[in-house]
Amino acid sequence: MSEQSEETVVTDAPLVEAPADAVAGEVVLRLTDVVKTFPGVRALDGVQLEVRAGEVHCLLGQNGAGKSTLIKVLAGVHRPDSGQVEWRGEPATFANPQAAMRAGIATIYQELDLVEDLSVAENAFLGHEPRRFGFVRRGYMARRTRQILGRLGHAEIPPNRMVRTLPAAGKQVVSMARALSHEARLIIMDEPSAVLAHDEVGNLFRIIRELTAQGIAVIYISHRLEEIREIGDRVTVLKDGRTTAANLPARDTPTRDLVSRMTGRTIEYVFPDRPADTGPGAELLTVEGLTRSGEFADVSLSVRAGEIVGIAGLVGSGRSELLETIYGARRAEAGSVRMAGRALRPGSVGAAVRAGMGMAPEERKSQALLLGEPIYRNVTLATFGRYARAGFTDAGRERAEADRIAESLELRPRDVRRPVRTLSGGNQQKVVVGRWLLGDTKLLLLDEPTRGVDVGARAELYQVIRALAARGVGVLLVSSEVPEVLGLADRVLVMREGRVVREAPAGELDENTVLDLVMAGSLMEGAPA
Amino acid sequence: MSDTSPTATPERAAQLPAQSPPVDPAETAAASEKTTHGGATAGRLSWWSGDSGEGAKRNLGLIGVLLVLIAIGALTRSDLYSNPDWVWDNVLSILKLASVVGVVTVGMTFVIIGGGIDLSVGAIVALAGVWCTTLATQSYGAGGMIFSALTVGLAVGLVNGLLISYGRLVPFIATLAMLVAARGLAAEISDKQTQVSDNQFINGIASNSLLGIPLLVYILAAVVAAGWVLLNRTTFGRRTVAVGGNPEAARLAGINVKRHSVLLYALSGLCCGIAAIMLTAQATSAQAAMANLYELDAIAAAIIGGTLLSGGRGTIIGSLLGVIIFSTITNLFAINGLSTEAQNMVKGGIIVAAVLVQQVQFRSLTQFLGRNRLTT
Ligand SMILES: Nc1ncnc2c1ncn2[C@@H]1O[C@H](COP(=O)(O)OP(=O)(O)OP(=O)(O)O)[C@@H](O)[C@H]1O
Ligand SMILES: [Mg+2]
């Protein structure tokens, strides 16, 4: 059955880049009552979806609502248990990702799926390398890749560079290039903006508009409602694996409508109030003249007990590298890091952790999670030694602690014995941050803590961070979302090209000022601190 | 915990015209009331999927393989199997056969779960065996012999670990070099002679039994039990899984990855020291060529037992079953009077089959990540 439908699509697969016969407004994809279960979980429980050529169709839903599962069904990664998928008027089941790609569906997955030790071009064309007489046409492949990267506004990435050496945002660009390297009629993007900085998102939207103008349909997933308002045409909302609303107009549907359809309740997307009394606590972290060439230079900063310090800056401005260096995961070339007045041994994470630091890193999959291990063991990865007696672990205690974290961060599913691998992206992120809410962390370094976390859980997370600060924990927060930095932090540092260009109490800055500082290379106010 | 509500279907259909006008949010809230919070989640897991569910399931498969092998034995030699005394003796001889490699495999399992590989185990057994049977060492009696075997094993393992962690050699290369060097040193010490052990206590380890069960089997049981506790119940075990599963994550969680790797190779070396005493006792002698290709047997047993060669996953029980399956095959061929050549071919086949089965499981994982093509 799958074979037959596969064939029908293959024969008329377009060879030109923009499908000439794409009629804007025609329904290209229709899902009816799609169900997909995993052992113990009904990830999709009757989903309806209708996508038209040339539109940007947004999928909204809480963490674990089934968005990624749905697109994996479309991409041929999962087979639905029941329900119909109608692709360009014909029933279709895609046996594997290749079949979906040949049919004209390209996908950018939520979790990066690049081969780290291949080049940018090899990754972009992985599995469909241009060939002649059985040999890969490397020159042509590099040219095409350069072309696509240029279209993406990233002509500076050399096609022959190893993907391993790229920063997270660069990798995201490569996955985008991969999707564009197919002649696709439908491009699915699962939270593409989660790793992108503000200007990159603008770039992404420009490309999406180009694509839709050619009649290509786009399914766009994001937890940021502003983005959906800006780029989306229609919205379908999922909750607990079901469609709770379909084809709402993206621009005019009131936010509280969308949120209540997603969550079943109304959530005020606000930041917790700052405590009125911000009496200066003791200085906790002191960083002086920290330098790593090519990453950041001469950075000095301090964090007091109970204070939240935010770092704003573009991806690539050296923020993450700075955080990792403070934490000892990278070795500084110059400068010093002191905790409560005592200098830390450079390049030693152990020393930093013993001094009371904790860091939630930027890339959850490669830097933070043991995917095959149970949730609770991931939550207690940094603290299991503390619960142990004489070297023997206390699994019961660990589960209890992890349960507490799962409760406060609305982790779903709540069963902490499940492997982390089976969690949705946003829920995995909660595990990464939750790890450091245990134990007696004195200083929390958070690198994009809300990446991929939904509106509701985000509010919870802000509350938790605030509560920690109220207990005297210092927080150093890096985020690409300027409102988050401004809303959560007491004091803000703006970084550009590896230097701190401005430091001010959060109250004295507004979003536009920060964005100007972050981007414009010409602004001279706030010379390097 | 609830299952999903069955009543939602008709409403859902009604709610979805092609261009549904925005519904009153109160109505949606009411509709969603029917699925409780986190409603897509079934509350309970199957009985086997607790902490180590996948491992337990795989081990059941291995027990199945073992039963098939025994059934083949019983069918082909029903004359022998009709005698209960013989069957019991045969079980003991299979376990005895498994004991030495079994001890080595426990150490190897830790190293592989921790993301490494130890090719030098056979050589370490030989070196430790030769070292503890020199005339000088034997003059210190059984205590001196045991002490020297364990110390040599531990020390060589430590060197492996230091070379790998702090010398930044690839495990494969470092332990390959150690394999060559340790056997060379063993040949040097023994002057390529077979060194006979005169120590009755040591030799008695292999020949004596307690309650009808050979001492060697007790040693194997003790090492397996200790290994199981170490892997599953201690912080050491937890770190091993973390270091092998995702070294970067382990490092950023404050685990000293380098130090832990050193300890893993030292542990493997220690197991080799124990194995050296057992093997020396069995042969009542030691020589530089002893424990030949034990590294392959141990690695194969661990892999068959479900240890992931790339690290981060594995069980002690699985490895033990792997070793027992191998010795059962050897035994099966022996009681049927078949050649060792045919036996090696079957073993090779079993290794391939085991890895294929693992790949199928692995594929479903990579498919989940949306990539299942590297070969086109
Ligand atoms: N391989 C799997 N095995 C078991 N359960 C799974 C698996 N993949 C997903 N799930 C479960 O299916 C549900 C839907 O997950 P999905 O990844 O589709 O959520 P999502 O809407 O993409 O969430 P997010 O916004 O966090 O990315 C979750 O409860 C998740 O735990
Ligand atoms: Mg998702």
Side-chain angles (χ1 to χ4, degrees):
Chain A
M1 174 196 167
S2 67
E3 233 161 62
Q4 174 219 343
S5 52
E6 193 183 311
E7 211 127 286
T8 41
V9 222
V10 170
T11 44
D12 62 0
L15 295 169
V16 290
E17 196 162 310
D21 55 341
V23 181
E26 163 206 31
V27 174
V28 286
L29 177 75
R30 193 192 303 277
L31 304 192
T32 339
D33 291 326
V34 168
V35 173
K36 170 74 196 171
T37 53
F38 296 109
V41 179
R42 253 175 121 74
L44 300 181
D45 189 23
V47 169
Q48 334 288 328
L49 177 69
E50 178 201 276
V51 180
R52 294 170 188 270
E55 78 164 333
V56 178
H57 199 106
C58 297
L59 278 182
L60 264 181
Q62 281 179 291
N63 295 133
K67 304 178 297 295
S68 298
T69 308
L70 177 63
I71 65 125
K72 280 179 190 154
V73 165
L74 294 178
V77 178
H78 295 320
R79 298 259 219 131
D81 299 346
S82 66
Q84 282 88 48
V85 178
E86 218 175 275
W87 173 239
R88 304 181 61 213
E90 314 231 359
T93 14
F94 302 117
N96 51 42
Q98 295 93 299
M101 279 177 206
R102 276 198 303 271
I105 299 180
T107 309
I108 302 172
Y109 295 98
Q110 181 173 18
E111 308 296 337
L112 293 176
D113 60 335
L114 303 174
V115 183
E116 297 260 312
D117 289 311
L118 291 181
S119 72
V120 170
E122 283 163 333
N123 265 289
F125 283 88
L126 189 64
H128 65 117
E129 297 84 357
R131 286 156 197 277
R132 182 183 286 151
F133 312 126
F135 291 97
V136 174
R137 301 170 61 191
R138 308 192 66 87
Y140 173 73
M141 199 162 91
R143 266 200 314 283
R144 276 291 309 276
T145 308
R146 199 168 295 126
Q147 214 177 356
I148 295 170
L149 289 171
R151 259 176 86 194
L152 288 168
H154 282 277
E156 83 283 359
I157 300 179
N160 59 0
R161 181 148 162 203
M162 277 308 142
V163 162
R164 181 181 294 287
T165 64
L166 292 175
K171 290 178 184 169
Q172 182 70 40
V173 172
V174 177
S175 348
M176 227 133 56
R178 176 190 284 178
L180 294 184
S181 71
H182 297 276
E183 290 94 27
R185 289 163 177 281
L186 169 64
I187 299 188
I188 306 173
M189 305 185 179
D190 195 354
E191 298 190 31
S193 58
V195 280
L196 297 181
H198 203 274
D199 59 331
E200 308 261 351
V201 175
N203 234 333
L204 173 68
F205 285 179
R206 184 178 51 72
I207 295 155
I208 291 180
R209 290 199 181 96
E210 270 177 45
L211 292 170
T212 50
Q214 294 170 346
I216 296 172
V218 172
I219 294 180
Y220 187 87
I221 300 178
S222 173
H223 289 292
R224 301 181 188 161
L225 292 178
E226 338 58 275
E227 289 178 8
I228 285 167
R229 300 251 183 255
E230 187 178 343
I231 192 74
D233 295 312
R234 296 193 298 168
V235 178
T236 290
V237 184
L238 296 186
K239 177 173 189 301
D240 295 336
R242 297 175 197 193
T243 305
T244 53
N247 308 329
L248 303 173
R251 280 176 198 84
D252 322 324
T253 313
T255 299
R256 51 189 284 272
D257 264 25
L258 290 176
V259 170
S260 72
R261 278 154 203 274
M262 273 164 68
T263 61
R265 55 196 171 132
T266 42
I267 291 170
E268 294 297 312
Y269 180 41
V270 287
F271 296 95
D273 290 334
R274 291 196 181 79
D277 157 48
T278 35
E283 193 154 295
L284 203 56
L285 173 77
T286 319
V287 174
E288 267 164 19
L290 214 59
T291 301
R292 266 177 70 91
S293 56
E295 293 175 354
F296 53 87
D298 196 23
V299 174
S300 299
L301 60 87
S302 69
V303 180
R304 295 174 174 280
E307 189 185 31
I308 304 180
V309 176
I311 300 181
L314 297 182
V315 175
S317 62
R319 308 167 311 177
S320 301
E321 290 82 357
L322 173 65
L323 231 54
E324 288 183 12
T325 310
I326 293 175
Y327 190 55
R330 295 170 188 241
R331 193 186 277 268
E333 286 160 9
S336 69
V337 177
R338 278 179 290 147
M339 269 291 274
R342 289 184 42 201
L344 290 183
R345 189 147 61 86
S348 163
V349 175
V353 170
R354 276 191 299 278
M357 277 196 211
M359 183 179 80
E362 185 179 19
E363 271 190 72
R364 54 179 171 252
K365 220 171 79 182
S366 64
Q367 292 187 297
L369 294 174
L370 304 171
L371 288 172
E373 289 288 288
I375 294 167
Y376 79 88
R377 291 193 181 184
N378 275 278
V379 173
T380 58
L381 187 64
T383 42
F384 65 83
R386 276 179 225 176
Y387 307 134
R389 274 173 308 225
F392 285 88
T393 52
D394 184 347
R397 170 94 190 275
E398 286 180 41
R399 277 197 290 267
E401 297 286 345
D403 266 334
R404 203 163 54 74
I405 295 297
E407 184 72 39
S408 70
L409 294 183
E410 299 195 339
L411 193 77
R412 283 190 292 167
R414 195 62 55 83
D415 186 342
V416 294
R417 285 170 309 166
R418 284 177 176 281
V420 157
R421 166 166 44 80
T422 66
L423 286 182
S424 77
N427 283 300
Q428 291 182 358
Q429 182 66 30
K430 295 179 203 166
V431 171
V432 173
V433 178
R435 174 179 301 163
W436 295 104
L437 306 182
L438 288 175
D440 49 3
T441 314
K442 295 192 189 73
L443 176 75
L444 204 53
L445 310 176
L446 299 174
D447 199 348
E448 304 279 4
T450 58
R451 167 180 294 178
V453 174
D454 70 44
V455 191
R458 200 175 275 224
E460 302 289 334
L461 195 58
Y462 293 150
Q463 299 280 4
V464 169
I465 294 174
R466 258 286 153 221
L468 280 178
R471 267 180 17 212
V473 174
V475 178
L476 187 57
L477 166 85
V478 161
S479 173
S480 297
E481 289 182 52
V482 176
E484 183 168 293
V485 174
L486 291 178
L488 198 57
D490 302 312
R491 196 149 50 81
V492 175
L493 304 181
V494 181
M495 275 185 85
R496 185 175 65 227
E497 288 163 12
R499 289 180 178 274
V500 176
V501 293
R502 179 80 188 266
E503 178 178 343
E508 291 176 14
L509 295 170
D510 61 43
E511 189 170 350
N512 287 330
T513 321
V514 174
L515 282 177
D516 285 347
L517 277 172
V518 150
M519 303 219 226
S522 57
L523 270 182
M524 286 312 289
E525 58 181 304
Chain B
M1 295 276 109
S2 80
D3 250 313
T4 44
S5 145
T7 57
T9 324
E11 286 162 45
R12 189 179 61 221
Q15 216 180 320
L16 289 170
Q19 287 280 353
S20 73
V23 195
D24 178 355
E27 185 187 318
T28 336
S32 55
E33 210 84 300
K34 291 191 181 84
T35 61
T36 47
H37 190 58
T41 312
R44 65 194 91 78
L45 294 162
S46 327
W47 61 271
W48 44 263
S49 50
D51 278 12
S52 49
E54 283 176 53
K57 206 168 50 163
R58 207 171 299 114
N59 289 345
L60 284 181
L62 291 175
I63 290 175
V65 171
L66 204 53
L67 290 177
V68 169
L69 288 174
I70 292 170
I72 294 175
L75 287 176
T76 50
R77 293 304 303 264
S78 47
D79 50 330
L80 291 176
Y81 268 88
S82 59
N83 176 356
D85 286 345
W86 179 88
V87 172
W88 175 241
D89 282 349
N90 196 44
V91 167
L92 290 184
S93 62
I94 289 176
L95 288 178
K96 214 172 149 181
L97 194 62
S99 62
V100 180
V101 178
V103 168
V104 173
T105 305
V106 169
M108 181 69 82
T109 305
F110 273 91
V111 171
I112 298 181
I113 294 176
I117 191 90
D118 189 349
L119 299 180
S120 62
V121 287
I124 300 179
V125 171
L127 180 60
V130 164
W131 200 302
C132 78
T133 51
T134 58
L135 290 177
T137 316
Q138 288 201 42
S139 70
Y140 288 99
M145 290 172 74
I146 291 173
F147 177 77
S148 69
L150 298 184
T151 310
V152 168
L154 193 66
V156 178
L158 217 54
V159 172
N160 273 337
L162 291 172
L163 285 175
I164 289 161
S165 277
Y166 296 98
R168 302 197 179 194
L169 288 183
V170 184
F172 191 92
I173 302 297
T175 57
L176 187 64
M178 184 57 79
L179 182 165
V180 179
R183 282 220 191 265
L185 183 57
E188 181 74 28
I189 291 173
S190 63
D191 203 12
K192 295 188 190 161
Q193 303 296 312
T194 300
Q195 301 181 157
V196 175
S197 157
D198 294 326
N199 191 300
Q200 288 316 308
F201 180 82
I202 295 289
N203 298 348
I205 291 174
S207 50
N208 289 343
S209 295
L210 184 67
L211 305 172
I213 297 173
L215 288 182
L216 288 177
V217 177
Y218 284 107
I219 297 178
L220 173 66
V223 171
V224 166
W228 188 89
V229 169
L230 194 60
L231 183 62
N232 295 296
R233 291 286 180 265
T234 68
T235 53
F236 183 90
R238 192 66 73 73
R239 278 189 218 111
T240 305
V241 174
V243 163
N246 189 341
E248 179 69 359
R251 190 173 78 102
L252 292 181
I255 294 172
N256 191 334
V257 175
K258 289 189 173 183
R259 189 179 64 197
H260 193 75
S261 302
V262 174
L263 294 179
L264 287 174
Y265 287 95
L267 177 67
S268 173
L270 185 65
C271 288
C272 293
I274 298 172
I277 298 164
M278 297 163 76
L279 196 59
T280 303
Q282 267 185 326
T284 65
S285 68
Q287 46 153 323
M290 75 200 277
N292 193 26
L293 295 185
Y294 270 32
E295 55 277 4
L296 295 190
D297 285 347
I299 293 171
I303 301 293
I304 288 181
T307 309
L308 205 60
L309 204 44
S310 52
R313 193 191 79 193
T315 62
I316 298 292
I317 301 298
S319 294
L320 176 67
L321 288 170
V323 175
I324 292 178
I325 286 176
F326 268 162
S327 40
T328 306
I329 294 172
T330 307
N331 178 263
L332 192 60
F333 277 76
I335 61 177
N336 281 295
L338 294 172
S339 72
T340 45
E341 287 78 13
Q343 175 188 324
N344 286 340
M345 282 158 56
V346 169
K347 278 190 190 173
I350 287 203
I351 296 173
V352 171
V355 173
L356 282 181
V357 169
Q358 282 201 7
Q359 269 179 357
V360 171
Q361 289 164 347
F362 190 64
R363 174 125 26 97
S364 58
L365 208 150
T366 45
Q367 254 183 12
F368 171 72
L369 300 174
R371 72 167 115 91
N372 64 343
R373 52 188 317 173
L374 280 174
T375 48
T376 318

